[in-house]
Amino acid sequence: MSNNNYTIEELREILFQKIDRLIEIEPYWSKCMRCQHKGKCCIKADISIRKDEWKIIKEYIQNFNESDKSVLRHNIKHHIFCPFRASDKCLIHEVRPLNCIWTPFQVVQNIQTNDLTFYIPYLSCKYFRKTIKKYPKINDEFVKLRIGNKECYYLFLNDIYIEYINNPEQHVNNLSNLITQIPPLIY
């Protein structure tokens, strides 16, 4: 996949298809499709955003109603880590970046060291990052990991992740670096 230079729309479609297949084999993740914790896994996440995603998000927020603009202004003023996170919803859920979509489901393997990185969820949807050093090379779409006394399938995401991060014409920024671009769009 990494040599194809997929558009953001194509990457989104591929990711949603992979998540659908993951949920078929691991029902645990279906809870994320109807989040009861108001996006708790998004708190304090400084996500990566590609140029093409940022363009779509900027266009989207220009059409916010006054209530959503007010929430966004408040969040920026009070340095809320993700300014798009309202108390009960994601303000840009329809156009959220791929990084937001794959957050709880993914496993990524470092191609140099074979270290495997993923997030371990707890019942309250509090996550913490875990790395397993020198994990055997993965060639499957899903990875079954044992976390304590529970086994859980994750989505092996190297193909999408590498395409997302290394696409040469799409410089990736962190949300925290882009926040200053938002006020002219909402005032």
Side-chain angles (χ1 to χ4, degrees):
M1 177 184 265
S2 61
N3 295 326
N4 293 330
N5 291 324
Y6 285 97
T7 67
I8 197 64
E9 292 82 13
E10 291 168 329
L11 286 171
R12 286 174 70 88
E13 182 61 32
I14 292 165
L15 179 57
F16 281 123
Q17 289 172 6
K18 287 178 176 261
I19 291 171
D20 286 345
R21 288 192 302 273
L22 174 66
I23 291 171
E24 286 176 18
I25 65 165
E26 183 61 72
Y28 172 82
W29 296 113
S30 64
K31 69 184 180 86
C32 294
M33 296 296 106
R34 46 185 191 286
C35 178
Q36 297 174 10
H37 296 281
K38 298 177 181 151
K40 196 172 186 178
C41 65
C42 301
I43 296 173
K44 296 186 181 178
D46 191 13
I47 58 167
S48 297
I49 299 177
R50 290 174 19 148
K51 280 183 181 178
D52 48 3
E53 291 176 309
W54 186 238
K55 182 181 181 217
I56 293 166
I57 291 168
K58 288 192 312 186
E59 290 173 6
Y60 190 80
I61 63 176
Q62 286 178 332
N63 295 314
F64 272 8
N65 62 39
E66 190 50 45
S67 175
D68 289 345
K69 285 182 181 179
S70 178
V71 170
L72 191 51
R73 285 191 292 267
H74 173 273
N75 289 350
I76 292 169
K77 180 179 177 183
H78 291 92
H79 308 286
I80 304 299
F81 213 66
C82 177
F84 302 115
R85 189 176 191 286
S87 62
D88 62 343
K89 67 180 180 177
C90 170
L91 297 173
I92 60 167
H93 191 267
E94 302 299 317
V95 296
R96 69 197 184 279
L98 287 180
N99 199 277
C100 294
I101 297 168
W102 73 47
T103 292
F105 313 106
Q106 92 278 8
V107 168
V108 176
Q109 189 167 37
N110 182 305
I111 57 176
Q112 278 85 33
T113 65
N114 281 356
D115 293 353
L116 196 69
T117 302
F118 60 102
Y119 289 86
I120 299 175
Y122 289 99
L123 290 175
S124 64
C125 287
K126 182 177 180 179
Y127 288 78
F128 79 88
R129 187 178 175 160
K130 172 131 175 101
T131 299
I132 300 174
K133 300 286 186 185
K134 299 182 193 269
Y135 196 86
K137 186 165 174 50
I138 299 171
N139 292 314
D140 294 326
E141 187 173 17
F142 306 107
V143 179
K144 190 174 192 178
L145 297 172
R146 184 177 243 348
I147 311 303
N149 60 0
K150 180 183 180 347
E151 288 186 328
C152 186
Y153 280 98
Y154 285 82
L155 180 60
F156 182 55
L157 209 57
N158 270 38
D159 58 345
I160 290 178
Y161 183 78
I162 289 170
E163 174 75 17
Y164 183 85
I165 298 300
N166 292 335
N167 192 333
E169 65 273 353
Q170 289 295 338
H171 175 71
V172 177
N173 286 296
N174 286 340
L175 178 57
S176 59
N177 297 331
L178 298 170
I179 290 175
T180 58
Q181 295 181 23
I182 297 172
L185 303 172
I186 57 173
Y187 284 98

